[in-house]
Amino acid sequence: MTVDLTPDKPALRSWLPGFVALAAIWGSSFLFIKVGVAELHPLHLTLYRVGAGALTLLVVLALLRDRLPRDPRVWGHLWVIAAFGVAVPFSLFGYGEQRIESLLAGIWNATTPLVVLPMAVLVFRTERLTVRKAVGLALGFAGVLVVLGVWQGVGGAHLVGQLMCFAAAACYGLAIPYQKKFVAGSELSGLSLSTAQLVLATAQLAIVAPLVAGAPPVPTSLSPSVVASVLVLGAIGTGLAFVINLRNIRIVGATTAAMVTYLIPVFAIVIGALVLDERLTWHQPVGALIVLLGVAVSQGLIGRRRAGTARPSDPVRAGTTPAGVPSAVSAEWR
């Protein structure tokens, strides 16, 4: 277990640029997904981006002279995490963004911690439900209803797309506490675990994608914008972002680094509006703020008394999994 201790209040300039860059990279992932699914089946998009991410991390792994896991039991657990933390949610965001705006998908990604908490409490028993967490959970799901605009009546493809994105967040909600229970105690580095996840997810998608969507198209048949989107999603949104996130964790600790979750929807909304000319109705950003308030309350960022001693970092809290990032990034997402 790592302790969330940091050097004597590191200077903002040592970590803030990387913190903001990470939020921008992960927030822009929803834009690149939107561009990618314009020509690619969601499963093919996910296969290409995960494959690119796996290659990127394999190169980083070799440069740092790290190694992949060797224990078969670890590989077995990582197979489950690769499915529910990478392959399935990445694909669901792709399916969802065929029906809804990229900025709305970014909002739904922010609901991940709300799903993590009940799974951790009820299924994996890695957390205890306190009054504070229950209040935060209730606030968060009230925000979900506001985002949906349930008083207006909902239905059609737009609702289906939103539910797919929420299901993607729910997959992260399963993968993160599963990882905490079965993998977090491993002595392997977060880089090693994340690389193995992406390798396994690539293998899973290489089997499933052709069966469901047919043979993947040859990259040369795609437009330059789609090819660029796939490369950015894989190499930068997964590979480079992972390295930046680990650096942030080392400098300021897991808890502070995980607060990038609160900036990701902001970048997703701004980028979607500026680049794709997308628009939100009033209740969607209001609902997003309520969701983020609920997350902050449930994680103790609001109403928590400051303690004089450091406390252990929480792998679940640190394990935020934005839409382009393997859930093992919390293996200090992460």
Side-chain angles (χ1 to χ4, degrees):
M1 179 178 291
T2 59
V3 177
D4 197 10
L5 293 172
T6 59
D8 298 329
K9 294 184 178 179
L12 282 176
R13 65 176 180 273
S14 70
W15 63 274
L16 188 59
F19 184 88
V20 175
L22 188 62
I25 290 171
W26 281 343
S28 66
S29 295
F30 303 97
L31 164 67
F32 295 119
I33 293 171
K34 190 73 172 179
V35 173
V37 295
E39 296 181 21
L40 284 169
H41 188 283
L43 287 173
H44 291 157
L45 173 63
T46 306
L47 171 61
Y48 282 143
R49 67 179 286 197
V50 171
L55 286 174
T56 301
L57 290 190
L58 283 169
V59 170
V60 175
L61 198 74
L63 290 174
L64 296 180
R65 298 183 180 180
D66 203 345
R67 63 177 178 82
L68 291 171
R70 296 179 181 177
D71 188 340
R73 290 175 298 179
V74 172
W75 280 100
H77 289 308
L78 289 177
W79 180 269
V80 176
I81 299 169
F84 289 99
V86 181
V88 176
F90 284 15
S91 299
L92 284 172
F93 272 115
Y95 278 110
E97 289 199 45
Q98 287 181 321
R99 298 163 175 82
I100 67 172
E101 300 82 1
S102 68
L103 47 73
L104 190 53
I107 289 175
W108 282 110
N109 185 76
T111 64
T112 296
L114 300 178
V115 185
V116 170
L117 179 55
M119 293 297 296
V121 170
L122 300 176
V123 178
F124 297 101
R125 300 185 183 277
T126 56
E127 294 283 321
R128 289 185 300 118
L129 185 63
T130 64
V131 173
R132 170 178 55 78
K133 291 178 180 179
V135 170
L137 196 62
L139 272 175
F141 280 103
V144 167
L145 298 179
V146 174
V147 172
L148 285 172
V150 291
W151 61 89
Q152 298 176 334
V154 290
H158 203 262
L159 173 63
V160 172
Q162 293 194 67
L163 293 179
M164 285 178 169
C165 291
F166 185 56
C171 287
Y172 294 145
L174 172 65
I176 292 171
Y178 183 97
Q179 175 185 305
K180 180 179 180 182
K181 185 174 180 68
F182 296 108
V183 180
S186 170
E187 295 180 355
L188 294 164
S189 69
L191 174 60
S192 173
L193 294 172
S194 290
T195 305
Q197 275 187 55
L198 289 183
V199 169
L200 290 173
T202 302
Q204 293 167 350
L205 289 160
I207 296 170
V208 173
L211 296 176
V212 175
V218 179
T220 54
S221 67
L222 302 173
S223 67
S225 62
V226 171
V227 173
S229 294
V230 171
L231 293 177
V232 170
L233 279 169
I236 298 179
T238 300
L240 177 61
F242 171 78
V243 175
I244 294 173
N245 192 47
L246 282 183
R247 179 179 180 277
N248 290 345
I249 290 169
R250 285 195 298 267
I251 295 174
V252 295
T255 299
T256 300
M259 290 183 185
V260 72
T261 304
Y262 297 93
L263 278 181
I264 291 170
V266 176
F267 277 97
I269 290 171
V270 171
I271 292 171
L274 293 179
V275 179
L276 298 177
D277 197 29
E278 296 175 338
R279 293 291 180 266
L280 289 173
T281 55
W282 69 267
H283 60 84
Q284 291 164 345
V286 170
L289 290 174
I290 298 174
V291 167
L292 293 177
L293 176 63
V295 171
V297 171
S298 68
Q299 294 183 346
L301 299 177
I302 294 178
R304 182 180 66 198
R305 290 182 300 177
R306 294 186 177 275
T309 57
R311 59 180 178 78
S313 62
D314 184 351
V316 171
R317 184 179 303 145
T320 51
T321 312
V325 186
S327 60
V329 171
S330 65
E332 329 117 5
W333 181 219
R334 201 189 175 328

